[in-house]
Every structure is written in C-alpha cells, then in structure tokens.
Amino acid sequence: MTARVELPTVRGRQTQAAIDAAARTVVARKGILATTIADITAEAGRSTASFYNYYDSKEAMVREWAVRFRDEARERARAAAEPGLDDAARAHAAAAAHWHTYRHRLAEIIAVSQLAMVSDDFAQYWSEICELPITLITNMVEKAQQRGFCAGDDPQLIAVALVSMLHQFCYAQLSGTGAQTADDDKCITTLAAIFHRTIYHEGTPRP
C-alpha cells in the first residue's frame, strides 16, 4: 500500500515563504555564518520553533536554495553563449547574466560561498556554480585567440580571473544596503567594458 503524502497547507506554504524571505534578508545583511535561526524567525515575525517545521538547520535551508540557485545560474550563464552576438554584445550578455543572478539571488550566493569555506558539500555546490561560466568564458577566449586577440594568454586562467572579478564586484556593490542604491545599468556597463577589454585586446582580428 502506498503511503499517503501530506501536502503543505496554504498557511504552511505562506509561513515557509515568510521564513525564506526573512532568511534571505538577514543573510544578505549579515552573512550565513553570523546568522542565527533566532535572527531569521525574528525577521519573519514567527516563533523559533516554526523554523523547524520546514528545515532541520540553516544549512539544510541553504542546501535547498543551492540546488535551485545552481540550476538558475547555469541558465543565466548560457545567455552569453547564444549564437549571433558580436563581441561587445557577448561581453554585455555575460556581464548582465552575472549581475542579474547576484541581484536576484544575493542571499543564496553569499550563503553557499561562505559555507563552502567550512563544508565539503557546499564547496562542491560552489564549484558547480562557477564551473559553467568558467567553461563558457574559456571557450570565448579560445575563439578570440583564433582571431588574433589576447595572444599568449592562458584561456582558463583568464576565465577564472574574470569570474572571480565578477563575483567580488557584484558582492561589493549589492551586499549590505548596496542593493537599494546600486545602478544596474552602470554596473553592467562597467563589468561589460572590463570583460570586453580583457578578452578582445592586443592585435587586430584576422579576416
């Protein structure tokens, strides 16, 4: 006989959504390592016990976030690989994809990256999140080199450097109260310019 699965009530889904929203707010402000479950439930206006109706720990909560975020980050990163873009448009697409992922998933990024420093599981999640943009940018550099750009540079190291720069820039601009004041267009334009100059430099492309 198949066991009956209990579906969450409307009120239960609302409570979990409130806890998730509160957790994202607190984590974006304090970081996951400094955040306590009491911080989260106080922000949500719920009892501390209510947290445990949905998650065994804050790490379990972030683990659920990480899986969803990893898949979303991959989809955004693929935007830069769309065919038919010129060099400037491709650089802009890559910068925009990274910025918008940070803008919409700041708490997830902060939580996973910080827990990656103390947990092998989260280190693997973080590696998977970074792997696709590094691979895509490596391919971009290799294709640029075939046209005479950035001759002699190591494509994979350029990709790692650019992804690291993108992460740090987005974190610096959006963490704390930055998300309320950061200018999306200016930040994406700045990132795209750095991205473009890093890859498409030194020489004229061959016909």
Side-chain angles (χ1 to χ4, degrees):
M1 182 175 178
T2 304
R4 182 178 177 182
V5 177
E6 297 250 352
L7 297 176
T9 64
V10 171
R11 184 175 180 180
R13 289 195 297 270
Q14 290 173 340
T15 299
Q16 184 174 10
I19 289 172
D20 276 351
R24 287 184 170 90
T25 297
V26 177
V27 169
R29 184 170 67 238
K30 298 180 61 174
I32 189 64
L33 300 179
T35 294
T36 66
I37 290 171
D39 291 333
I40 294 169
T41 52
E43 182 78 21
R46 301 294 199 277
S47 69
T48 301
S50 67
F51 180 93
Y52 294 102
N53 291 330
Y54 306 98
Y55 302 110
D56 293 333
S57 63
K58 64 180 183 180
E59 290 79 11
M61 175 187 69
V62 175
R63 189 168 284 107
E64 286 196 19
W65 289 2
V67 173
R68 293 195 299 268
F69 165 63
R70 180 189 58 196
D71 295 339
E72 180 178 326
R74 285 173 173 172
E75 287 304 309
R76 287 186 185 276
R78 288 191 178 96
E82 289 294 319
L85 298 177
D86 63 24
D87 297 338
R90 194 173 300 283
H92 190 276
H98 211 93
W99 177 263
H100 288 308
T101 299
Y102 254 85
R103 167 66 85 180
H104 296 291
R105 296 295 183 184
L106 180 63
E108 285 88 337
I109 294 170
I110 290 173
V112 175
S113 63
Q114 289 184 347
L115 287 173
M117 295 185 287
V118 296
S119 162
D120 289 342
D121 284 348
F122 285 99
Q124 181 61 35
Y125 286 131
W126 186 245
S127 176
E128 291 173 1
I129 288 166
C130 295
E131 181 181 5
L132 181 61
I134 288 173
T135 299
L136 290 174
I137 294 171
T138 299
N139 291 336
M140 289 173 64
V141 175
E142 289 172 346
K143 290 178 180 177
Q145 288 179 329
Q146 292 169 8
R147 298 163 52 209
F149 293 114
C150 55
D153 291 340
D154 185 304
Q156 207 261 346
L157 288 180
I158 290 177
V160 171
L162 280 172
V163 170
S164 299
M165 179 276 294
L166 290 166
H167 281 312
Q168 185 57 35
F169 179 92
C170 293
Y171 174 78
Q173 293 300 308
L174 291 171
S175 61
T177 59
Q180 300 166 24
T181 58
D183 185 312
D184 290 356
D185 290 339
K186 286 184 179 179
C187 288
I188 291 170
T189 298
T190 299
L191 289 173
I194 295 170
F195 195 99
H196 187 270
R197 291 167 191 162
T198 300
I199 297 177
Y200 302 102
H201 72 92
E202 294 183 1
T204 303
R206 292 192 294 267

